[in-house]
Amino acid sequence: MSEVFIAGVGMTSFGRQLDRSLKALSADACAQAFADAGCGPANIEAVFFGNCVQGHMEGQDMIRGEIIARAIGIHGVPVVNVENACATASTALHMANAYVRSGAADIVLAIGAEKMCSPDKALMFSAFDGAWDVHETARNRDILLAMGQGVAVPDGSVSAQPYSVFMDIYAAMSRAHMKTYGSTQAQIAAVSAKNHGHSVGNPLAQYRTPFTVEAVLAAAPIVYPLTLPMCSPISDGASAAVICNAAGLRKLAVSPGRAIRILASVLQTSSERDACDYDRHVTRLAAARAYAAAGVDPTDVDVAEVHDATAMGEIIEIEALGLVPPGEGGIAAERGETVLGGRLPVNPSGGLESRGHPIGATGLAQIYELVGQLRGEADARQVDGARVAIAQNGGGVVGVEEAVVAVTILGR
């Protein structure tokens, strides 16, 4: 099978951008990706456009990608609209990779874009309500909250302010991990402090303020054991990538040495399992397929971007990826193993917690970071000598885990 490359990437700043439209954000990210790849709209043979909530927020359904493609000067090519919860942008990349690998095109574009911020907080938070089975909301809640039983929730550790129902879910997952492995709130805080520290060096991050572990623990509670800095914010932003094969690469004005190979791209949905059966976690199963396809194993990975919608998410996912032993994700953060300069830096971008989380753009934001790392262009965030990188991006909830997970492995 032919090799597939990422020839160019682009990304806007993430954050509250009420004055910028989805078209403007998408155009910005795509212009950067085109410049990076040495191409223009006329070179693009297909577009995979990822977005989740424009229909909810603005009433634009059905042809979002076609409208965005037209706005950035792309006409007459196939456009595929992609929606897959928080894994939307990585799914767009997965589809673009498959399309090129099949021989259907030489050069394609993957975009993820989202405008989630609004003066109407109820509208913002309700955007997440469809990311589980809406016909069984009471059952969903009972199953997920049961995961956290057995760990006491201290008085005063639940926010009185509105927040997404998914924070209740992540808190229950956190308490289940604490119950199974003895993980502590301080370890979760260590992950959060690390990621906020990383974001200081990321000019595109939504938040760039460092936190100590003590400051994270003392911050406003969301739902025990989660405090505000441990949780990803609501964000606007866009990210994009130009994907090509070897023939496409020859058509572009980009140095071959800057093209990054897609070694593996795996998309997997969840399956029935017991909440504490982490060996069958959807990320663990997807990662096994990805490592086999790429011909690498966890010890070969130099840098990782994982889905830390909360800090506990990073702990669970790096364990599922096999980057640390089960139950040691929080311990690794406390030891400094996952910080820049440590054994295996995780989320050098700052992760979802501080880079931001416009859900339809997040997966390609991870790719933007890892491409920069593998090129040696990540400036203050650079991981020395990075040659193999992994991204894990999850979305939605079915049963006791993410509805879908994408695992992508990149290499020089």
Side-chain angles (χ1 to χ4, degrees), residues 13-14 195-211 349-350 353-356 380-381:
S13 60
F14 281 6
N195 288 341
H196 283 284
H198 287 172
S199 72
V200 173
N202 185 353
L204 300 180
Q206 184 164 350
Y207 299 127
R208 301 183 67 192
T209 301
F211 283 80
S349 69
E353 295 168 69
S354 49
R355 182 195 62 230
R381 308 184 309 283

Side-chain angles (χ1 to χ4, degrees), residues 18 193 270 404:
L18 298 179
S270 62
V404 58

Side-chain angles (χ1 to χ4, degrees), residues 214-234:
E214 293 74 21
V216 172
L217 291 169
I222 300 300
V223 187
Y224 183 81
L226 304 175
T227 65
L228 184 61
M230 298 178 187
C231 303
S232 62
I234 292 176

Side-chain angles (χ1 to χ4, degrees), residues 117-142:
C117 296
S118 168
D120 184 344
K121 288 189 176 182
L123 181 68
M124 287 196 303
F125 289 123
S126 62
F128 297 94
D129 290 350
W132 62 2
D133 188 343
V134 298
H135 299 286
E136 298 190 29
T137 54
R139 181 173 178 269
N140 295 341
R141 184 180 290 273
D142 290 345

Side-chain angles (χ1 to χ4, degrees), residues 145-189:
L145 295 185
M147 296 171 61
Q149 291 178 354
V151 176
V153 177
D155 291 340
S157 60
V158 178
S159 175
Q161 300 299 315
Y163 58 85
S164 165
V165 65
F166 275 80
M167 292 302 106
D168 284 320
I169 294 168
Y170 286 122
M173 291 179 174
S174 300
R175 296 196 295 273
H177 196 276
M178 295 165 79
K179 179 172 57 178
T180 301
Y181 293 114
S183 302
T184 67
Q185 189 184 33
Q187 290 172 354
I188 305 171

